[in-house]
Amino acid sequence: MNKPTTFADVVCCGCSCLCDDLQVVVDANRVTQLTPVCPHASSYFAVTGAAADCRIDGKEVSLEQGISAAGKMLDAAKAPLLLGLGEMTIDGQRAALDWADRLGAYVDAGNPAEPDPSGVVLQSTGMITATLGEIRDRADVILFWNADPQTTQPRYMERFALDAAGRFIGGSRTAMAIDEAATATSARAELFCESPVSANLEFAHALLALARGKTIDRERLAAFPQIEQIHAQLAAANYAAIICGPKFYGGADGAAILETLADYVRELNRANRAIISLLKSGPNWIGAAESIAWRTGYPSPVRFAADGPAFDPTGFRAAKLLARGEVDTIVRFDGDWLKATPPEMLAALEKLPTISFGWSDFDVPAKVAFRVAKPGVECGGSMHRMDDVPLPLTPVLSTKRKTTEAIIRQLIG
Ligand code: SF4
């Protein structure tokens, strides 16, 4: 009888923290123990379902038949769209972009459930940011703005924030929170400001005005006394970290909000150190944005064309293309993002002929559906943590399933 195998320092792809300190015990090709405990990690390392490697219209077929059918669908496509790149490895993303280039396809590398203008803002105005390790070691004042890592990234606090020991922090940290309602994270804050997401732009402008010593109409913002307190704490910090969740930058004016906050943080840096850190949800959306920028020079979304890639920050977004009926075939890389995708977008996706690649059972229908090896569980590769740090994945379970990259390479020929 085989003995259980223990893998050390395994990277977890259960969320964007990509914790790289897991100990995983495997017995009879099943994960039987995970430490430290994290509910999201337990669910990520559970490989569920026994779906066939490939199905056409729900019926099991050979991989070769699936590859041939997918090739024919794309030969007939005039405007394919690739989306969902953020839960695959960097190698898979590179293969997908090679494929998109050959197809002349649209690629939206952002999370459809979380519009993210940060790629555009980083290229247009820039943003002062930091690694999670630096936040852990130096941030003595932390503002969580529409961010609830206590719920969404269960080990964030113990690894990088309020419950982590900071190498260069003498006393305790000060936590503040701004959100539209109380959260598990705001419950830990010394100062909580309840404010609707729609007020974020005005809030950020008020902070910027305070930092620049401008006169402000105090009557315009009900939360002004709290804004003043928040600014006072951030300005007095040795090292202030502003952690923003997807709701913060995901609205229609997300780019303007992020740019205003970036300006504010530049002002704070005249006297002390301050940074912005974006709390993405899935494991490799930052890698997807980077893969597309390495390949095209543009942030997502792009369209590959014979005379080179084109970029349109709003017009090429998957939601916009689908609403306008401008795509005729979908290549979908499935993952947890599908659970949070707005229903109207899912409905639009389901109407189009689709080729899907996924590592769980086929929840959302597809004409041709490939079941692939699960990154960080059944196959290796690398992903980029939310702060751009690349981390190598360990395959802890053996499988005969192919990786997304391998199937794409076979399709490209
Ligand atoms: S916090 Fe996220 S990356 Fe870390 S162990 Fe939990 S699910 Fe995995």
Side-chain angles (χ1 to χ4, degrees):
M1 204 166 72
N2 288 337
K3 281 194 182 157
T5 310
T6 301
F7 296 85
D9 299 330
V10 173
V11 172
C12 170
C13 308
C15 75
S16 53
C17 285
L18 290 183
C19 296
D20 57 356
D21 60 347
L22 265 65
Q23 181 167 294
V24 181
V25 180
V26 172
D27 193 4
N29 209 34
R30 273 187 55 247
V31 173
T32 54
Q33 199 184 324
L34 270 181
T35 41
V37 172
C38 172
H40 291 198
S42 306
S43 102
Y44 188 80
F45 278 89
V47 176
T48 53
D53 290 356
C54 184
R55 290 186 190 187
I56 297 179
D57 291 326
K59 292 203 185 74
E60 184 172 344
V61 296
S62 69
L63 199 58
E64 285 62 37
Q65 285 171 308
I67 286 173
S68 163
K72 282 184 191 145
M73 275 172 70
L74 288 165
D75 285 346
K78 295 216 165 22
L81 164 67
L82 277 66
L83 80 170
L85 277 68
E87 298 189 36
M88 58 205 281
T89 63
I90 295 286
D91 293 333
Q93 290 165 353
R94 286 186 152 157
L97 294 175
D98 285 348
W99 196 19
D101 200 352
R102 296 221 187 165
L103 296 169
Y106 292 101
V107 182
D108 186 346
N111 184 340
E114 294 175 2
D116 177 4
S118 60
V120 176
V121 174
L122 277 167
Q123 288 200 357
S124 59
T125 63
M127 189 159 61
I128 299 171
T129 185
T131 64
L132 297 179
E134 193 173 307
I135 294 170
R136 177 195 60 217
D137 284 338
R138 297 180 187 277
D140 56 340
V141 176
I142 304 181
L143 169 63
F144 297 97
W145 198 335
N146 298 129
D148 182 18
Q150 189 79 31
T151 306
T152 54
Q153 275 96 346
R155 296 187 61 222
Y156 181 90
M157 293 297 197
E158 74 178 54
R159 298 202 70 222
F160 308 116
L162 303 184
D163 302 326
R167 210 169 352 147
F168 305 111
I169 298 175
S172 60
R173 301 179 205 258
T174 300
M176 300 183 285
I178 305 170
D179 218 320
E180 53 192 348
T183 65
T185 298
S186 73
R188 302 195 56 189
E190 282 87 354
L191 189 162
F192 171 49
C193 175
E194 194 169 323
S195 172
V197 172
S198 58
N200 278 351
L201 185 56
E202 206 166 6
F203 211 123
H205 274 297
L207 285 171
L208 181 58
L210 284 169
R212 288 180 174 167
K214 305 261 185 201
T215 311
I216 301 173
D217 178 1
R218 303 174 67 96
E219 306 305 316
R220 281 190 60 197
L221 275 171
F224 193 75
Q226 283 175 302
I227 297 174
E228 272 184 316
Q229 284 177 39
I230 288 169
H231 170 65
Q233 291 277 7
L234 293 170
N238 285 323
Y239 191 118
I242 304 179
I243 316 296
C244 304
K247 265 188 291 171
F248 176 79
Y249 50 79
D253 50 4
I257 293 173
L258 216 41
E259 278 171 4
T260 309
L261 189 69
D263 284 345
Y264 172 63
V265 165
R266 267 190 287 276
E267 292 294 334
L268 290 177
N269 271 277
R270 290 180 192 281
N272 301 319
R273 179 97 167 108
I275 62 96
I276 300 169
S277 178
L278 303 183
L279 203 66
K280 317 249 175 186
S281 47
N284 202 23
W285 294 101
I286 193 84
E290 284 167 345
S291 293
I292 218 160
W294 296 329
R295 179 65 184 245
T296 67
Y298 294 121
S300 170
V302 299
R303 180 174 196 181
F304 287 92
D307 58 350
F311 164 65
D312 181 339
T314 51
F316 291 170
R317 287 224 171 278
K320 191 70 79 71
L321 292 169
L322 289 163
R324 288 184 185 153
E326 289 177 357
V327 289
D328 60 6
T329 307
I330 301 294
V331 177
R332 208 181 61 215
F333 302 102
D334 293 356
D336 285 344
W337 65 270
L338 275 170
K339 294 179 194 158
T341 298
E344 63 279 8
M345 189 167 169
L346 277 182
L349 285 171
E350 285 178 26
K351 285 186 193 143
L352 291 168
T354 298
I355 300 159
S356 74
F357 297 79
W359 34 254
S360 62
D361 280 347
F362 310 122
D363 295 333
V364 183
K367 173 87 183 160
V368 181
F370 295 103
R371 172 79 187 249
V372 295
K374 192 173 194 177
V377 181
E378 297 176 311
C379 67
S382 67
M383 288 193 177
H384 287 199
R385 204 168 63 183
M386 66 174 109
D387 55 350
D388 292 351
V389 173
L391 290 162
L393 310 183
T394 308
V396 295
L397 302 183
S398 60
T399 182
K400 292 198 173 121
R401 291 191 203 284
K402 297 219 174 199
T403 60
T404 303
E405 182 200 2
I407 296 175
I408 293 176
R409 297 280 176 219
Q410 210 170 322
L411 265 156
I412 295 175

